[in-house]
Amino acid sequence: MTEYDLAIIGGGPGGYVAAIRAAQLGLKVVCIEGRGALGGTCLNVGCIPSKALLTSSAKFAELEKLAVHGIEQTGAALDVATMMGRKDKIVGDLTKGIAFLFKKNGVDLIEGWARIMAPGQVQVDAQTVTAKNILIATGSEPAPLFGVEIDEVAVLSSTGALALEEVPDHLVVIGAGVIGLELGQVWSRLGAKVTVVEYLDRILPGIDGEIAKLAQRSLSKQGMKFQLGRALRKVETTDAGLTLTLDRVGKDREETLEADKVLIAVGRRPVTRGLGLQEVGVVTNERGVIQVDGAFQTSVPGIYAIGDCVPGPMLAHKAEEDGVACVEMLAGVSAHVDYNTVPGVVYTDPEVASVGQTEEALKEAGVQYTVGKFSFMANSRARASGHTDGAVKVLVAADDHILGAHICGAHGGDLIAELVLAMTKGATVQDVAATCHAHPALGEAVKEACLDALGRAIHA
């Protein structure tokens, strides 16, 4: 029987990246995955399939806008099965790619569901795996909504919404967060009436409020409807489809909505049940989140945890950084993750990207700051491409260091990287403003926002 230096439970972004990095550092590593495919939620039923469908649906929606370019398009038809097939092929190819990387780096893979029996001992079906250290990287799953049963036929989680065989007439999305907006836009572009219901009085909780308003305005122009300040109480099946009962928050008033599909997108929860954590003494909170120290070690020596099952943002790239830092520290290499510089991106059109502090958080903390903003309407590349919605916003400290950056606009997820790097390396807003940016390019909006924070914007 092989004794490993590290046994990783979970082959998602955190687990598989940690496995490869640990192998690079000379550790003998095994990854245990029960899904039957590597890549976790992100690759199989999350980030990647949703981006594939966002891309396909964007191309379909673009057909209506070609006339302004002098292009007449007739006879276009939607084939949902082909679209889904493309998505599935992308997922399949990428999962095979991870398996290849495991072989290339000497990482062993065991397929099956794991349970920790004791420090250094993992049971996988009838097999016992022994390792000096155990790393839990089991990720997260869609959070349920009390009183609402998800059947993946009429009432969907994100998994079901990624696999619909036809365009629904009316899709009601419960939750105006990242998942709800992305999948809502996919089906809205393909012809569904989409209504987004949100308990709060705004979309995208946690995102800078001004940027979230720009996103809602643009999505509304594209046909998505929003009902804010409403709580879903029940979903009933009728001969005509589904009837949703909503409560107006704080107004003691009941409303109803008719739909043929409902997507429950109220967040995610860690997958930590069934791992034997309580029996071995690993401490979790009431939501199943595993408590770890600065080295990602749980309350039990030799058992570590990363990614969505520990505190922090539930993001694939955050899980990757956790995994790399954890195994580097295990191997005696200095490592650290700065969660203030972990970006978040919503891949709608326009994209919403954010890093660091929001303006609301700075106000609440009493921090002095300066705001720099630049609208894409004033950016020549945005005008030429027709993607003029949104703006870049930077929040700057008195010493000119960037406290936060927020973008609503085309390719915002790519543009934010420059500001993430600036914050990570301690570059000032003056440094970014003094950097030569190509013209014409969307990146000039980043430069102009930084110039605006200095009171020197040229094209505003």
Side-chain angles (χ1 to χ4, degrees):
M1 182 182 296
T2 302
E3 180 172 348
Y4 294 92
D5 295 311
L6 178 64
I8 300 175
I9 304 175
Y16 87 74
V17 169
I20 292 171
R21 181 60 183 134
Q24 290 174 344
L25 291 165
L27 301 182
K28 181 63 178 173
V29 185
V30 61
C31 182
I32 304 163
E33 172 57 61
R35 185 188 293 272
L38 291 166
T41 292
C42 175
L43 179 47
N44 289 278
V45 288
C47 319
I48 304 306
S50 64
K51 303 315 165 281
L53 292 182
L54 279 164
T55 300
S56 296
S57 63
K59 292 184 181 299
F60 184 73
E62 187 71 16
L63 294 175
E64 297 181 356
K65 306 173 185 177
L66 293 179
V68 71
H69 295 278
I71 302 171
E72 295 297 332
Q73 174 66 41
T74 58
L78 178 64
D79 184 341
V80 174
T82 298
M83 187 178 294
M84 291 295 173
R86 173 184 178 272
K87 175 220 22 164
D88 293 340
K89 185 178 186 305
I90 291 169
V91 170
D93 289 347
L94 288 171
T95 57
K96 292 172 186 173
I98 299 171
F100 168 77
L101 291 173
F102 272 14
K103 291 180 180 178
K104 176 184 174 183
N105 288 278
V107 175
D108 288 345
L109 173 63
I110 296 176
E111 294 188 352
W113 298 106
R115 183 178 181 86
I116 301 172
M117 307 307 293
Q121 190 177 79
V122 180
Q123 189 77 27
V124 186
D125 298 328
Q127 180 179 359
T128 299
V129 177
T130 59
K132 296 175 183 176
N133 297 288
I134 298 169
L135 175 57
I136 302 167
T138 46
S140 62
E141 63 186 359
L145 190 59
F146 180 76
V148 178
E149 182 181 353
I150 295 175
D151 58 14
E152 302 297 13
V153 177
V155 182
L156 313 167
S157 71
S158 55
T159 301
L162 287 166
L164 290 174
E165 295 179 352
E166 60 183 15
V167 180
D169 293 327
H170 185 196
L171 172 67
V172 174
V173 178
I174 307 300
V178 178
I179 295 169
L181 295 186
E182 288 186 354
L183 293 177
Q185 186 169 55
V186 165
W187 294 107
S188 176
R189 286 168 169 170
L190 298 178
K193 175 184 176 182
V194 174
T195 303
V196 180
V197 175
E198 169 58 47
Y199 179 83
L200 300 177
D201 61 358
R202 53 161 293 173
I203 72 170
L204 294 174
I207 296 292
D208 185 271
E210 185 177 12
I211 292 297
K213 286 180 181 178
L214 292 176
Q216 182 179 344
R217 184 184 308 161
S218 182
L219 293 171
S220 296
K221 285 194 302 181
Q222 296 174 59
M224 291 176 66
K225 307 296 183 184
F226 293 90
Q227 293 199 12
L228 307 178
R230 289 166 172 84
L232 176 65
R233 290 304 174 210
K234 61 182 176 179
V235 179
E236 297 175 293
T237 302
T238 67
D239 292 340
L242 300 172
T243 298
L244 285 70
T245 301
L246 310 175
D247 282 348
R248 289 294 301 271
V249 178
K251 295 190 177 180
D252 194 26
R253 192 163 78 231
E254 192 173 272
E255 300 173 344
T256 59
L257 264 179
E258 305 297 325
D260 55 323
K261 302 287 183 184
V262 175
L263 166 59
I264 305 298
V266 294
R268 298 183 65 80
R269 64 181 182 183
V271 177
T272 53
R273 302 180 310 281
L275 290 174
L277 302 184
Q278 185 175 1
E279 290 79 0
V280 297
V282 172
V283 174
T284 66
N285 69 11
E286 67 280 359
R287 294 183 58 248
V289 178
I290 299 171
Q291 304 304 300
V292 293
D293 63 16
F296 302 97
Q297 184 167 255
T298 69
S299 54
V300 177
I303 301 179
Y304 299 79
I306 60 168
D308 286 4
C309 55
V310 304
M314 289 184 170
L315 298 168
H317 46 282
K318 179 263 190 186
E320 292 182 10
E321 297 299 322
D322 280 359
V324 169
C326 178
V327 299
E328 286 184 343
M329 284 187 276
L330 274 176
V333 178
S334 178
H336 172 69
V337 181
D338 180 2
Y339 295 112
N340 190 53
T341 56
V342 173
V345 182
V346 188
Y347 289 94
T348 49
D349 178 17
E351 292 181 0
V352 178
S354 180
V355 64
Q357 299 296 305
T358 64
E359 188 166 3
E360 291 81 2
L362 293 177
K363 286 180 178 178
E364 184 176 346
V367 176
Q368 296 297 312
Y369 64 94
T370 301
V371 180
K373 288 185 283 190
F374 191 78
S375 170
F376 282 106
M377 183 65 75
N379 176 270
S380 56
R381 181 64 185 276
R383 294 293 288 268
S385 66
H387 295 102
T388 54
D389 283 354
V392 178
K393 177 178 181 179
V394 292
L395 304 168
V396 183
D399 64 358
D400 280 352
H401 281 88
I402 300 169
L403 299 170
H406 311 277
I407 300 173
C408 174
H411 302 287
D414 299 314
L415 296 176
I416 199 72
E418 176 181 7
L419 294 162
V420 174
L421 180 62
M423 290 178 63
T424 300
K425 295 302 181 183
T428 65
V429 69
Q430 174 68 44
D431 293 327
V432 179
T435 300
C436 185
H437 288 66
H439 174 79
L442 296 174
E444 290 178 288
V446 173
K447 177 186 177 83
E448 289 274 6
C450 291
L451 283 169
D452 185 55
L454 299 168
R456 294 166 38 203
I458 301 298
H459 295 95

